[in-house]
Amino acid sequence: GAGVSQSPSNKVTEKGKDVELRCDPISGHTALYWYRQRLGQGLEFLIYFQGNSAPDKSGLPSDRFSAERTGESVSTLTIQRTQQEDSAVYLCASSFSSGGSGAQYFGPGTRLLVL
Amino acid sequence: DAKTTQPPSMDCAEGRAANLPCNHSTISGNEYVYWYRQIHSQGPQYIIHGLKNNETNEMASLIITEDRKSSTLILPHATLRDTAVYYCIGLRGSTLGRLYFGRGTQLTVWP
């Protein structure tokens, strides 16, 4: 079946602009994660959605970052007033709820470059 | 989640088995051992996970020692496309934990 998809695959923006990144999880996956990966660095957790529960936003680096999820489907990550340090690959992953495999399946990522 | 230790790099000839070790001596009883990999410029990819028993799927085999303090990921017939950084992670049984990747093992498969 279809995997996790993300769009756009690449985004170049100017400092101060807002950007919106989209994630389409695997159908039936109730958990959805956003991560950030700077060049040559490890994964940095941003936010986690699980069903209708309140999201875990503890990884968001500043109030310029926000995310929404519509039911158990599409999620959008919004970065307002982008800064150069926001340049990174933004990865989305989805997984089944507990009771199934905890494996997280990742999308290809959105490569964001802030000039 | 358990702290894991992996060698920074390994080489393997194409067609041979790649055996990637991981130490997780502080792993608790309800923590699973997960393996992921990340091929250059791609998102991480789930490989396999296990609790106590050895596991096998279409990608790899996972051998967990009886005391659960270490495990080995086996790629039975490595190909050039298996060149990647491999991460061993301990996650609690709730299975919804966020992922933290350590430095992992850079596996290079040579022709």
Side-chain angles (χ1 to χ4, degrees):
Chain A
V4 177
S5 61
Q6 293 185 247
S7 61
S9 53
N10 294 282
K11 177 71 177 180
V12 181
T13 190
E14 293 179 349
K15 178 181 173 181
K17 301 280 190 180
D18 297 352
V19 295
E20 190 172 277
L21 312 180
R22 177 187 169 108
C23 172
D24 284 87
I26 293 172
S27 178
H29 281 192
T30 59
L32 186 146
Y33 303 77
W34 282 98
Y35 296 89
R36 178 170 71 178
Q37 189 170 35
R38 291 194 170 104
L39 187 64
Q41 303 297 311
L43 288 184
E44 179 183 3
F45 167 79
L46 296 177
I47 190 169
Y48 157 58
F49 295 91
Q50 171 56 44
N52 295 320
S53 302
D56 176 358
K57 303 180 182 180
S58 59
L60 295 178
S62 77
D63 59 7
R64 296 187 295 105
F65 288 73
S66 62
E68 294 183 348
R69 187 180 186 193
T70 307
E72 293 184 351
S73 59
V74 172
S75 176
T76 55
L77 176 69
T78 302
I79 308 173
Q80 295 178 310
R81 307 181 300 282
T82 52
Q83 304 293 314
Q84 289 182 333
E85 63 262 27
D86 299 334
S87 296
V89 177
Y90 288 81
L91 292 157
C92 175
S94 69
S95 69
F96 285 115
S97 62
S98 60
S101 166
Q104 293 183 27
Y105 295 88
F106 285 80
T110 293
R111 285 159 183 74
L112 174 66
L113 177 61
V114 182
L115 300 176
Chain B
D1 298 327
K3 180 181 181 334
T4 61
T5 305
Q6 300 176 253
S9 64
M10 294 183 66
D11 292 344
C12 178
E14 189 176 22
R16 304 299 293 268
N19 298 298
L20 295 137
C22 179
N23 287 323
H24 33 78
S25 57
T26 62
I27 198 168
S28 61
N30 66 347
E31 283 186 288
Y32 287 75
V33 178
Y34 278 79
W35 283 83
Y36 286 80
R37 72 181 181 184
Q38 190 165 23
I39 296 169
H40 183 60
S41 297
Q42 297 185 22
Q45 180 186 23
Y46 164 79
I47 302 173
I48 198 167
H49 74 285
L51 184 62
K52 293 181 182 178
N53 299 321
N54 298 337
E55 302 288 344
T56 296
N57 63 19
E58 65 278 5
M59 289 183 67
S61 294
L62 175 60
I63 308 298
I64 303 174
T65 58
E66 191 170 345
D67 62 8
R68 302 209 328 122
K69 292 183 185 296
S70 65
S71 61
T72 301
L73 178 74
I74 301 172
L75 307 179
H77 305 288
T79 70
L80 299 179
R81 289 178 296 179
D82 292 322
T83 292
V85 181
Y86 287 76
Y87 299 99
C88 167
I89 304 162
L91 286 176
R92 291 188 304 278
S94 63
T95 71
L96 292 178
R98 60 185 74 172
L99 294 179
Y100 292 105
F101 285 174
R103 293 195 174 276
T105 296
Q106 169 65 60
L107 174 69
T108 302
V109 180
W110 299 97

